[in-house]
Amino acid sequence: MGGCLRRSCKAGYPRPGRWWPVHFFEHLERPDLPRIEHSLVRRATGFVDRLLGGYVSLFNERLKPMKPVALVNGMAAYDLTQPPMGSEPGGRVLRNGFEYVVLKREPRPINMVLMVNSACNMACAHCSARTYLKSGRPSLSFEEIRSVIDQFLELGGASFILSGGEPTLHPRVLDIIDHVDKSKSVVSMFTNGSRLSEMAQELKSAGLFGTLVSIDSADEAHHDRLRGFDGAYRKAVSGIERLLAEGMLAGISTYVSRKGLVGGAFESIVEMGTRMGVHQLFVFDAVPTGALIDKKDVVLGPDGRVRLRELIKAQNANPVGPAVMGQSWVNSCEGFGCFAGFYQIYVNAAGDVMPCDFTPITFGNVREEPLEVIWKRIRQSGDWGKRFHECRMQDPEFRRRTVELLPPGSELPVPYETILQLRREKLGE
């Protein structure tokens, strides 16, 4: 959607009569995919099907390198954080893309990642939210969280993602999941897996769609060291096993650094995921942010990202093993481009709104302004007002003009206005 896809649109728009089935994407149903039943994920019908029928063929061009994770109620799902194609929330995703690509309207936030709490039972060496965990500022109340969710859905949101801290430690995490209107959005979660064995059935009943469990290494001892928690690996593995036993969508979330890429970290996680029978691997690049903000040596670099993209595409072409959603592929011109501030928004536990969870630059706080006002401010900014086919926090030029301008020890997230002021003072812009 956008970027490279817009150019493919100019090559010719398919004739509607050819692509207006009763249910769009029903031609993606495949007998070899895992089948998941989810009582709250329903097919879109009527007007949305007919309106978006022609656009589907364009969207499919971007899905070719991807492997569906499962058929959910007979509908192809490509990601544990995104609604199945052909579902009611999936129709909202396609409508947003159609309006941007074809009607040339401003994009709306499809995804919202919400840091529901700052409590965590681990101390990860690479935690992207470490600064926010230690801020000492009060977390959003349950009523404030409900308001943020409602505002997000009103803007057209279709993918609500819980993060933390450790989201399962929130005393009302089940109520948060239950509050989301499932006809508009699926609910997914990133978790360290420490409480899944005891909570899986309740999470399923609340309507959780997909769960991505963080596993930093296929080596048990190494994972536990990185997490600062003895037994973290065993808890994560048993949590995944319980989710699968409950018939839920379950995947592994991991990251690959420059050293890890050379050392075969990706291949070992693929092997682990295949052995466990998970539906998806969600592979992030190692990004110098949070606890790694000064660790530039972890960055893959252009050649590393190309290499990782090839590994991702090779696994997605492999009929054996889990599908892979990889940041290096998604952010590239081959994929959809960076979602930050374009289709995605991040809200930390104190209510600060940022383009993504890797970018410690805030455009406002939901306790002070409506989410829509803050979203428009992001879209009107010089740094996020246009499409970007790379993770900005891995781009040396972007960092030179943003986070590297900050004095050592600056409190994060920093207001975007502060960045602009520093540019005027230090760069003469």
Side-chain angles (χ1 to χ4, degrees):
M1 293 179 284
C4 302
L5 181 55
R6 182 177 291 183
R7 291 194 289 275
S8 69
C9 184
K10 294 177 182 178
Y13 196 75
R15 283 187 260 185
R18 212 182 137 192
W19 293 99
W20 284 10
V22 175
H23 292 290
F24 58 82
F25 278 97
E26 76 177 2
H27 57 287
L28 293 178
E29 296 183 7
R30 287 169 32 180
D32 60 321
L33 292 175
R35 290 182 174 270
I36 296 291
E37 299 300 318
H38 194 296
S39 61
L40 299 178
V41 178
R42 295 184 292 268
R43 283 184 180 268
T45 58
F47 174 72
V48 172
D49 291 329
R50 296 191 298 273
L51 173 67
L52 299 175
Y55 179 62
V56 161
S57 64
L58 298 177
F59 195 81
N60 278 346
E61 290 300 311
R62 280 290 178 262
L63 297 178
K64 280 183 178 179
M66 297 176 65
K67 177 180 178 181
V69 299
L71 290 179
V72 180
N73 300 347
M75 296 173 286
Y78 282 85
D79 182 3
L80 298 194
T81 70
Q82 298 299 313
M85 297 303 163
S87 66
E88 291 174 319
R92 287 163 69 90
V93 173
L94 289 177
R95 185 181 301 211
N96 194 338
F98 180 86
E99 289 176 354
Y100 170 69
V101 174
V102 180
L103 303 183
K104 306 295 189 282
R105 294 177 182 170
E106 273 291 304
R108 292 173 289 153
I110 293 173
N111 307 334
M112 181 170 72
V113 181
L114 177 63
M115 180 184 174
V116 295
N117 61 347
S118 57
C120 191
N121 51 2
M122 298 188 185
C124 303
H126 53 279
C127 179
S128 62
R130 176 172 292 183
T131 303
Y132 314 144
L133 297 179
K134 297 180 178 180
S135 71
R137 299 162 65 197
S139 295
L140 297 171
S141 67
F142 175 63
E143 289 71 24
E144 288 172 324
I145 288 175
R146 287 197 308 176
S147 174
V148 173
I149 292 171
D150 292 344
Q151 292 178 63
F152 167 65
L153 297 181
E154 186 66 26
L155 287 173
S159 168
F160 173 64
I161 305 165
L162 289 80
S163 75
E166 170 47 42
T168 60
L169 293 177
H170 193 289
R172 301 195 66 176
V173 64
L174 299 175
D175 294 326
I176 293 171
I177 296 169
D178 181 67
H179 179 73
V180 179
D181 184 343
K182 308 306 186 300
S183 70
K184 296 178 179 179
S185 175
V186 294
V187 184
S188 304
M189 178 171 65
F190 284 94
T191 172
N192 61 33
S194 59
R195 301 192 66 210
L196 290 180
S197 291
E198 61 194 81
M199 294 186 67
Q201 193 170 49
E202 291 178 300
L203 292 167
K204 182 178 181 179
S205 297
L208 187 67
F209 177 74
T211 307
L212 286 155
V213 182
S214 297
I215 296 183
D216 307 324
S217 172
D219 178 82
E220 180 176 347
H222 189 206
H223 174 81
D224 286 2
R225 283 196 300 272
L226 290 171
R227 294 264 145 183
F229 186 98
D230 290 339
Y233 182 91
R234 291 183 180 274
K235 282 183 175 292
V237 169
S238 63
I240 291 172
E241 291 172 343
R242 180 62 191 279
L243 292 173
L244 294 173
E246 291 287 341
M248 298 174 69
L249 288 167
I252 292 173
S253 168
T254 192
Y255 69 97
V256 177
S257 66
R258 184 182 304 176
K259 181 179 179 181
L261 181 63
V262 174
F266 177 83
E267 293 89 340
S268 63
I269 285 288
V270 169
E271 182 181 344
M272 178 183 179
T274 302
R275 186 174 63 251
M276 294 188 67
V278 300
H279 297 100
Q280 183 182 36
L281 302 179
F282 205 108
V283 182
F284 291 100
D285 302 346
V287 179
T289 191
L292 298 178
I293 196 162
D294 296 319
K295 308 289 186 181
K296 296 180 185 178
D297 59 318
V298 304
V299 178
L300 293 172
D303 292 342
R305 289 195 289 274
V306 170
R307 171 60 180 155
L308 185 53
R309 280 204 298 274
E310 294 307 311
L311 291 172
I312 290 166
K313 289 189 290 185
Q315 174 55 27
N316 282 337
N318 185 354
V320 178
V324 183
M325 177 65 73
Q327 183 182 1
S328 278
W329 178 80
V330 172
N331 283 0
S332 73
C333 197
E334 293 182 42
F336 295 93
C338 179
F339 277 24
F342 195 84
Y343 288 134
Q344 181 166 311
I345 200 166
Y346 173 71
V347 182
N348 72 7
D352 301 312
V353 181
M354 290 158 267
C356 80
D357 40 339
F358 294 148
T359 308
I361 300 172
T362 178
F363 283 77
N365 191 290
V366 292
R367 283 177 163 147
E368 301 167 1
E369 297 177 289
L371 188 63
E372 182 177 14
V373 171
I374 302 172
W375 174 255
K376 288 181 178 178
R377 188 175 297 136
I378 294 174
R379 294 299 310 138
Q380 292 167 358
S381 70
D383 291 286
W384 282 273
K386 57 182 181 295
R387 206 75 169 104
F388 209 80
H389 286 282
E390 185 177 4
C391 169
R392 292 170 176 81
M393 287 295 287
Q394 295 181 73
D395 176 35
E397 177 61 15
F398 176 82
R399 295 179 67 87
R400 183 186 71 83
R401 300 179 65 250
T402 54
V403 293
E404 291 181 2
L405 295 174
L406 298 172
S410 295
E411 183 178 348
L412 300 175
V414 61
Y416 185 59
E417 292 83 355
T418 300
I419 294 292
L420 296 180
Q421 178 63 31
L422 288 171
R423 283 179 184 171
R424 288 190 289 269
E425 294 174 358
K426 296 186 176 184
L427 304 179
E429 295 184 4

